[in-house]
Amino acid sequence: QVQLVESGGGVVQPGDSLRLSCAGSGFTFSTFKLAWYRQAPGQERELVAGETNAVGGKNYADSVKGRFTISRDNDKNTMFLQMNSLKDDDTAEYFCNAWQIREGVWYDYWGQGTQVTVSS
């Protein structure tokens, strides 16, 4: 059974840091590309950070560049999102995503989400 389980969300103040984790199971984690998305109330889900097809390539939403970092630990089947200098606008539900195209088939897995609230 494929699972992605996020953790690490919470309520923080502007300027604080937070690290989200996402543990994967039931699939070959190391062969999948990883990404983090977020969705604020009344808004569409948006890509925050993700791995590209280039070796070691990563892309970030303009709003988080220089503040957020996506990383992974294949030995632990876990991905991370380090979030620094958090702002009120970063408040959202955060979702991890693992995807792969293999033999013409798109494999796309999602976590259940973890809430991040930035408020003074």
Side-chain angles (χ1 to χ4, degrees):
Q1 179 184 1
V2 171
Q3 276 193 313
L4 285 173
V5 180
E6 296 107 335
S7 61
V11 180
V12 296
Q13 294 186 336
D16 285 352
S17 296
L18 206 59
R19 188 175 83 155
L20 305 183
S21 300
C22 176
S25 61
F27 63 101
T28 309
F29 184 88
S30 61
T31 66
F32 277 64
K33 294 294 184 182
L34 306 176
W36 287 92
Y37 287 75
R38 68 186 180 187
Q39 187 168 19
Q43 297 187 20
E44 294 186 355
R45 189 173 295 190
E46 64 170 350
L47 176 68
V48 176
E51 296 177 333
T52 69
N53 283 322
V55 176
K58 300 171 184 177
N59 62 334
Y60 295 88
D62 288 344
S63 59
V64 307
K65 280 180 182 176
R67 300 188 298 121
F68 289 14
T69 303
I70 185 173
S71 62
R72 67 193 298 163
D73 184 340
N74 287 335
D75 290 337
K76 297 181 179 179
N77 286 357
T78 303
M79 60 190 290
F80 306 97
L81 184 68
Q82 178 66 43
M83 305 185 294
N84 299 329
S85 302
L86 282 162
K87 305 175 180 180
D88 291 353
D89 289 348
D90 295 319
T91 296
E93 187 88 3
Y94 284 73
F95 300 88
C96 60
N97 169 247
W99 63 273
Q100 181 188 73
I101 300 175
R102 185 172 72 243
E103 298 179 358
V105 178
W106 179 277
Y107 297 87
D108 195 32
Y109 305 138
W110 291 87
Q112 82 287 352
T114 185
Q115 179 67 37
V116 172
T117 302
V118 184
S119 174
S120 55

